[in-house]
Amino acid sequence: MRIERARGTRDFLPEEMWKRRTMEARMRDIAEKWGYGEIQTPSFERSELFTVKSGEGILKEMYEFRDKGGRHLALRPELTAPVIRMYVNELKMAPKPTKVYYFGNCFRYEEPQKSRYREFWQFGAEIIGSDRPEAQAEIIALAYHILESLGIHIKAELYVGHVGLIREVLRAANVEADKINGVMRLVDKGEREEVIELLRETGAKEDLIDDLISLVDLKVKVKGKDALKEAREREIIVSDSDAAKELEMLLQILDYYGVVYTLNPGIARGLDYYTGMVFEIYETGGRLGAQNQICGGGSYRLATLFGGDDTPSTGFAFGFDRLAELFPQETSDLKRGGVVAVAVVVVPIREKNADSADVVEEAIKIASRLREHIPTYIDVMSRNLSAQLSYANALNASFAVLVGKTEIKEGKVTVRNLETGEQEKIGVEECVKKITKIINHKIIL
RNA sequence: GCCGGGGUGUGGUAGCGGCAUCCCUUGGGACUGUGGAUCCCAAGACCUGGGUUCAAUUCCCAGCUCCGGCCCCA
């Protein structure tokens, strides 16, 4: 019977992998240049790691199971918790700040839809040990530059907020501490009416409610340098507030980095380990359907939850698959139709009723020489000359190198240019040199 | 968990209560030392299960799955 792929998973063919590896390489390169070191954590963890962070509710959205020893395990649904767990377990002694990045697959048991799969990849970075404005700005700038290197920043909108702004208003309104998270969650979801209702129930004064709503609604296009000025004028940033001062400094540094952003205090988080800046990046062209967030990040304190010392951290994570959908497919000469297009095919010519061991031997030697420089195919189907050339044509190969009795006798090979049809008999070394030169020229083009 | 629309060779399609069409893909041959064209041969599919029926790929139901949306989004 035919075995189907598991729901919500995908197969990646060579062409797609080429694209994904290209993206990955660029992202890694930037992270490395910014001084981040790559780490990797296990694909599954003890379930508590995630329930401690996000609550029991996430159990139904995880691939959660018991192993043969009865341990509760879960395929990781995200990478921040594993990274901080790793820090607590084995990186505590590293100099602060500890800067790490990661790229890995994650799993969530959710209904698949456009840009949402049950196995997906995240690329992220964390500064462990700092949540100062400098760290916050660096994290945002790093995310922004990665996006830029992929050519996707022009299709995206970056929103920056600060959970402290809203929390301060709520505290001023004497909202009970245990209700603040509920309000934050509603703010994050954009449920204005429910926010107002909830605040009225707690007996908050109308003018404080108005303050909060106007703060949340500041989703106006106040970008970059102007954001700071505007925010001051509108008294969104009030000088005597800690959160405001921190945000002010953050925005200042973001301008130094040349990041284009929109100030949006309505970005919130309903969990209390978020301590300061929060940011999100959305795709704006509607190409991702309902799932258009491509990046999220912020400052948080998770280490104590996992048994470590209280450690401020700042980080972000990209939804790699969503970036891949936005990344322009390069019409590179290197790949076409999923196979290597710039390539050479070595063709051993077997005579019927004759021992062709010497031909095969010579062909393999030549292929080995060529493989030091360029992708090279050699027959593995005992095909005749005609069929081998037909295959070379189907591959879109550039050259065929023919080796038969005649060539061996003359100490040469026949090099056929498959695009022009021209061919000539030359020595092996000359052939390697010639093909390498032409193909390298092609790759540069 | 909910709502809507789909599942015919690798892919794209036509069709219909009885014979599944074309493009296509793959292998081989015509062509025992030269690819793309042409011709020939071969192989390749009705998502799964149940029901109705003399007969189901077709109609009905359920499931699976894909696509889109809701919820959720750590």
Side-chain angles (χ1 to χ4, degrees), chain A residues 397-439:
Chain A
S398 304
F399 291 93
V401 176
L402 281 51
V403 190
K405 298 280 187 200
T406 323
E407 282 82 1
I408 289 176
K409 215 172 286 172
E410 297 175 24
K412 293 185 172 176
V413 291
T414 299
V415 178
R416 181 174 178 84
N417 183 323
L418 293 172
E419 278 156 33
T420 63
E422 292 163 7
Q423 66 180 44
E424 58 183 332
K425 274 189 194 163
I426 53 179
V428 171
E429 287 313 309
E430 196 190 340
C431 152
V432 172
K433 221 172 281 174
K434 183 168 183 157
I435 292 178
T436 307
K437 194 178 157 198
I438 292 176
I439 286 186

Side-chain angles (χ1 to χ4, degrees), chain A residues 113-334:
Chain A
Q113 53 183 274
K114 189 170 176 61
S115 310
R116 175 191 275 180
Y117 308 97
R118 287 184 170 182
E119 183 188 23
F120 58 98
W121 276 258
Q122 285 194 340
F123 184 102
E126 313 285 339
I127 296 179
I128 302 169
S130 178
D131 62 356
R132 308 273 62 241
E134 292 90 337
Q136 298 174 358
E138 175 169 315
I139 282 293
I140 294 173
L142 174 57
Y144 185 80
H145 282 281
I146 285 175
L147 220 48
E148 219 169 24
S149 81
L150 298 175
I152 294 172
H153 61 298
I154 48 173
K155 304 170 184 166
E157 193 85 43
L158 165 62
Y159 296 102
V160 180
H162 196 296
V163 294
L165 292 177
I166 304 168
R167 285 183 188 277
E168 277 169 3
V169 174
L170 293 175
R171 271 197 293 271
N174 288 320
V175 175
E176 294 157 49
D178 58 334
K179 287 210 171 132
I180 289 184
N181 280 343
V183 177
M184 296 292 284
R185 198 169 301 127
L186 291 172
V187 168
D188 187 38
K189 288 164 78 169
E191 310 263 7
R192 293 180 39 154
E193 301 308 317
E194 296 187 32
V195 170
I196 294 170
E197 199 176 313
L198 190 68
L199 286 173
R200 282 198 179 126
E201 279 172 27
T202 65
K205 287 182 184 148
E206 287 299 320
D207 55 340
L208 277 164
I209 295 176
D210 289 345
D211 279 356
L212 183 77
I213 295 302
S214 65
L215 181 62
V216 167
D217 280 351
L218 183 75
K219 223 182 242 175
V220 287
K221 303 293 175 199
V222 181
K223 288 190 179 177
K225 284 187 170 33
D226 299 333
L228 199 58
K229 214 171 79 188
E230 283 266 344
R232 275 207 201 98
E233 281 168 8
R234 299 196 192 192
E235 297 185 338
I236 302 304
I237 293 183
V238 192
S239 57
D240 63 349
S241 144
D242 286 345
K245 275 189 246 171
E246 187 174 286
L247 181 59
E248 193 174 31
M249 190 165 171
L250 162 64
L251 298 184
Q252 187 82 61
I253 302 173
L254 277 184
D255 286 341
Y256 300 156
Y257 272 114
V259 173
V260 178
Y261 61 93
T262 300
L263 178 61
N264 179 4
I267 295 195
R269 293 285 139 86
L271 297 161
D272 52 21
Y273 51 76
Y274 285 98
T275 54
M277 177 276 289
V278 284
F279 79 103
E280 293 173 354
I281 304 175
Y282 292 89
E283 186 266 344
T284 50
R287 291 217 280 151
L288 296 180
Q291 310 299 325
N292 65 338
Q293 188 179 343
I294 54 181
C295 183
S299 294
Y300 58 89
R301 286 166 187 259
L302 270 178
T304 50
L305 286 179
F306 308 144
D309 296 332
D310 191 23
T311 310
S313 303
T314 307
F316 69 77
F318 275 111
F320 185 82
D321 308 275
R322 295 178 187 174
L323 296 181
E325 288 194 43
L326 302 174
F327 187 66
Q329 180 68 58
E330 313 213 323
T331 49
S332 164
D333 261 356
L334 290 171

